[in-house]
């Protein structure tokens, strides 16, 4: 079996031991072995990244832009092959996975442009004989810790701006999806990045993740609320810059006046595609009385017809969930829902397919209240609840009654309600007649309340996290 090593200071380095990566669509399919770095190796990686800072930030913006461009081109050229690898290790469908690789390519292309657009300001001083200049410096060594559900796009939207603005990187992918991260690293290594500028250290959160936190100048994290909170605490203790994107309990409001087919499409796509394993998935469907019964019936019928199978099989609409632990968690929440009195309109069960995998059919709960545990906690699987409400005001109030605030959507033909919702929903992303999941790569991304901490990611706003503003006074 091929051993995939860590990448430290421009060398491929074996770790202390290795983990085996398994295909969730077929647990007999072993993707490869991936080295786990030791704490000392992480410290080495941080040291190498620190040494490389002066050289990298001294590269002209054109040189850095060209390198990001090379990475983008390679990702585009290999999107089918890398998409297949991604689908194999994560379980999303081939089409979704190829789309994710293309997204990563677009992100590198976008930041290749941003690299040369970096600017500042020149102002007159309030005193005579002085000029004032406001410019942006790199932050330094950036630690990047990512989850498994978008194993190439999330690393891309952190690595690309970090490199674009002159930082060096120590990157730790999720334990469940090291193959996409390793493939991306190989591409970056061959794209002209000087040694030490980009480092890959694979392994567990408590060992490798913590060692990163102990040494870097800034940390950008995406993952669960629990891990995010502990990372923010540690980063704050060290007084380093931190950005954390975490979970959601995203509402989709459906009003009586909604276009019916649009509402059903938004609910099914937003809640269940990619097996509900999206931080922006609609897990609370908040539906007004007049449309409720018809809507539930139509969603249930669509769910019955969904093709759940091997991620790489033609015709599959939803692949397996990512692993046994996630499957157990999803089933545990189904039990919790039933115990708290929710009714299963569509009941989720484990499924047998040609190959052994973590196949789970969707669950649609009805007769739920917003106070139930299934409507308070992130489940992260193909499980959604319908909450019946009398009118728009009650819907908005329930939509906002959550500790999260990542994405929220409304299906309505009323301009008045659409505008009011956009202005008053307490979330970072607001969707009108669209699923709560599904985003552009060139605009800011992030949430409010318990979903996010720190500066926004992506688009032009990324510059705020990856640079430090300097104000210079010059006697003239
Ligand atoms: P997770 O928190 O378990 O792990 C995320 C990363 O943190 C992994 O690389 C893991 O190894 C690392 N980690 C774990 N413990 C650590 C520790 N003590 N110190 C340092 N690092 C540690 O999350 P997951 O299960 O991989 O991903 C699913 C979660 O990610 C969901 O909650 C989902 O909502 C969230 N997510 C959020 C967004 C967003 O942008 N808001 C996007 C995708 C996923």
């Amino acid at each position: 079996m091929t051993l995939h090593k860590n990448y430290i200071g421009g060398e491929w380095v074996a770790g202390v031991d290795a983990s085996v990566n398994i295909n969730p669509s077929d647990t007999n399919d072993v993707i490869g072995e991936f080295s786990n770095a030791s704490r000392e190796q992480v410290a080495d990686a941080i040291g190498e990244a620190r040494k490389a800072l002066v050289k990298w930030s001294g590269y002209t913006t054109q040189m850095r832009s060209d390198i990001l461009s090379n990475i983008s081109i390679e990702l585009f050229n290999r999107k089918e092959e890398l998409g297949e690898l991604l689908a194999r290790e994560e379980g999303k469908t081939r089409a979704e996975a190829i789309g994710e690789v293309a997204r990563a390519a677009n992100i590198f292309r976008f930041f290749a442009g941003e690299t040369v657009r970096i600017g500042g300001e020149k102002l007159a001083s309030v005193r005579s004989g002085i000029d004032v200049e406001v410019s942006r410096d790199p932050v330094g060594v950036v630690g990047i810790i990512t989850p498994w559900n978008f194993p190439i796009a999330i690393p891309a939207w952190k690595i690309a701006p970090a490199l674009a603005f002159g930082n060096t990187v120590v990157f730790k992918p999720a334990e469940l999806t090291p193959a996409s991260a390793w493939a991306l690293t190989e591409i970056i290594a061959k794209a002209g990045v000087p040694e030490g500028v980009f480092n890959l250290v694979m392994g567990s959160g408590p060992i490798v993740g913590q060692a990163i936190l102990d040494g870097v100048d800034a940390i950008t994290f995406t993952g669960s609320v629990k891990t995010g909170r502990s990372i923010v605490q540690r980063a704050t203790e060290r007084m380093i810059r931190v950005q954390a994107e975490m979970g959601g309990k995203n509402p989709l409001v459906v009003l009586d006046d909604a276009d019916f087919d649009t509402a059903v499409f938004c609910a099914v796509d937003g809640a269940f595609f990619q097996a509900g394993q999206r931080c922006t998935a609609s897990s609370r469907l908040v539906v007004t009385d007049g449309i409720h019964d018809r809507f539930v019936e139509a969603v249930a019928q669509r769910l019955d017809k969904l093709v759940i199978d091997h991620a790489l099989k033609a015709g599959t609409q939803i692949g397996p969930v990512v692993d046994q632990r996630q499957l157990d968690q999803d089933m545990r929440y189904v039990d919790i829902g039933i115990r708290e009195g929710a009714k299963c309109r569509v009941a989720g069960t484990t499924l047998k397919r040609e190959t052994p995998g973590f196949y789970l059919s969707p669950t649609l709960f009805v007769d739920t209240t917003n106070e139930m545990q299934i409507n308070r906690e992130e489940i992260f699987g193909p499980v959604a609840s319908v909450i019946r409400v009398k009118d728009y005001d009650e819907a908005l109030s329930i939509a906002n009654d959550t500790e999260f605030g990542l994405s929220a959507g409304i299906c309505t033909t009323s301009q008045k309600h659409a505008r009011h919702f956009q202005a008053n929903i307490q979330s970072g992303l607001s969707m009108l007649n669209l699923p709560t999941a599904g985003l552009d790569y060139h605009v800011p991304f992030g949430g409010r309340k318990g979903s996010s901490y720190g500066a926004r990611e992506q688009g032009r706003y990324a510059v705020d996290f990856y640079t430090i503003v300097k104000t210079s006074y010059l006697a003239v």
Side-chain angles (χ1 to χ4, degrees):
M1 202 185 319
T2 320
L3 176 67
H4 298 79
K5 297 178 181 169
N6 296 296
Y7 188 65
I8 300 172
E11 305 283 336
W12 294 101
V13 183
V16 275
D17 54 17
S19 299
V20 171
N21 188 7
I22 303 279
N23 180 348
S25 299
D26 177 1
T27 52
N28 293 323
D29 176 23
V30 176
I31 295 158
E33 265 196 312
F34 292 83
S35 281
N36 293 315
S38 65
R39 284 192 141 268
E40 293 69 30
Q41 286 174 322
V42 177
D44 287 348
I46 295 170
E48 293 294 330
R50 201 165 290 294
K51 272 198 282 182
L53 264 175
V54 173
K55 185 167 185 188
W56 183 238
S57 58
Y59 265 41
T60 63
T61 53
Q62 184 64 57
M63 287 157 84
R64 290 207 300 266
S65 174
D66 287 346
I67 289 171
L68 293 193
S69 212
N70 293 342
I71 299 168
S72 168
I73 291 165
E74 185 71 1
L75 286 167
F76 270 127
N77 288 344
R78 292 174 54 195
K79 70 177 193 294
E80 311 275 336
E81 166 214 337
L82 294 170
E84 179 165 330
L85 177 68
L86 196 164
R88 220 175 126 209
E89 77 167 345
E90 198 269 351
K92 65 183 62 166
T93 63
R94 186 193 296 272
E96 286 168 335
I98 293 172
E100 187 180 331
V101 178
R103 183 189 186 86
N106 274 317
I107 290 166
F108 276 98
R109 184 162 63 183
F110 176 86
F111 282 104
E114 288 301 280
T115 310
V116 295
R117 273 193 288 271
I118 184 100
E121 272 187 295
K122 186 164 190 233
L123 293 96
S125 169
V126 292
R127 294 170 283 163
S128 66
I130 295 175
D131 273 350
V132 183
E133 285 177 11
V134 181
S135 56
R136 289 180 180 272
D137 287 346
V139 182
V141 179
V142 176
I144 295 179
I145 300 180
T146 55
W148 49 263
N149 67 329
F150 286 95
I152 205 157
I154 293 179
W157 79 54
K158 294 175 187 295
I159 294 165
L163 296 181
F165 302 128
N167 303 282
T168 57
V169 168
V170 178
F171 166 44
K172 187 199 104 55
E175 296 89 314
L176 287 173
T177 51
S180 302
W182 191 92
L184 178 60
T185 300
E186 198 189 28
I187 289 172
I188 294 173
K190 289 180 177 163
V193 177
E195 61 188 41
V197 168
F198 180 82
N199 303 273
L200 170 76
V201 282
M202 296 176 285
S204 80
I207 296 173
V208 176
Q210 285 298 306
I212 290 177
L213 265 172
D214 288 346
V216 293
D217 302 318
I219 184 90
T220 172
F221 164 83
T222 300
S224 64
V225 172
K226 185 166 164 262
T227 313
R229 285 211 174 117
S230 75
I231 283 179
V232 169
Q233 265 169 10
R234 177 71 186 125
T236 322
E237 253 168 45
R238 287 197 54 229
M239 303 223 303
I240 59 169
R241 190 172 284 209
V242 57
Q243 174 184 66
E245 284 301 336
M246 298 163 282
K249 198 70 202 170
N250 310 295
L252 176 73
V253 169
V254 177
L255 299 185
D256 287 355
D257 63 18
D259 176 83
F260 190 73
D261 292 343
T262 302
V264 173
F265 163 76
C266 290
V268 173
D269 182 284
F272 299 102
F273 273 69
Q274 214 187 301
Q277 299 174 143
R278 293 185 285 192
C279 53
T280 47
S282 329
S283 51
R284 295 183 297 144
L285 307 172
V286 185
V287 185
T288 47
D289 252 338
I291 196 172
H292 178 278
D293 294 355
R294 212 158 56 98
F295 171 81
V296 166
E297 203 42 47
V299 171
Q301 279 180 19
R302 283 282 314 278
L303 294 185
D304 282 341
K305 293 197 191 96
L306 287 175
V307 181
I308 300 158
D309 210 326
H310 194 299
L312 291 171
K313 201 164 167 179
T316 294
Q317 289 174 292
I318 297 180
V321 301
V322 75
D323 69 350
Q324 186 65 48
R325 206 176 58 156
Q326 187 61 50
L327 193 140
D328 293 343
Q329 173 168 312
D330 297 341
M331 291 310 289
R332 191 167 58 82
Y333 273 106
V334 172
D335 284 346
I336 290 171
I338 293 166
R339 271 192 275 118
E340 14 181 44
K343 271 222 297 277
C344 273
R345 175 59 188 81
V346 179
T349 49
T350 53
L351 304 170
K352 287 230 172 324
R353 293 294 180 253
E354 263 171 39
T355 48
F358 309 112
Y359 299 105
L360 181 60
S361 68
T363 298
L364 181 68
F365 278 122
V366 293
D367 293 348
T368 76
T369 67
N370 201 42
E371 286 67 45
M372 290 177 174
Q373 197 179 343
I374 50 167
N375 285 328
R376 309 303 307 178
E377 296 171 10
E378 185 183 53
I379 300 172
F380 218 57
V383 182
S385 307
V386 179
I387 304 170
R388 187 197 282 262
V389 290
K390 60 179 184 307
D391 57 18
Y392 167 74
D393 290 338
E394 190 185 357
L396 177 66
S397 143
I398 283 184
N400 278 333
D401 178 10
T402 169
E403 68 172 272
F404 297 104
L406 187 54
S407 186
I410 186 167
C411 291
T412 180
T413 50
S414 152
Q415 273 276 347
K416 183 176 138 218
H417 287 142
R419 281 295 181 185
H420 189 271
F421 184 83
Q422 187 185 353
N424 292 284
I425 190 70
Q426 294 158 6
S427 60
L429 307 161
S430 169
M431 307 288 182
L432 171 62
N433 296 325
L434 288 167
T436 54
L439 309 166
D440 285 4
Y441 62 82
H442 69 302
V443 284
F445 170 72
R448 284 162 69 162
K449 303 198 270 188
S451 291
S452 298
Y453 185 90
R456 281 285 182 263
E457 297 203 87
Q458 301 197 55
R460 300 189 72 182
Y461 285 64
V463 75
D464 290 332
F465 181 76
Y466 293 98
T467 60
I468 292 182
V469 168
K470 179 182 278 166
T471 312
S472 308
Y473 293 82
L474 304 109
V476 288

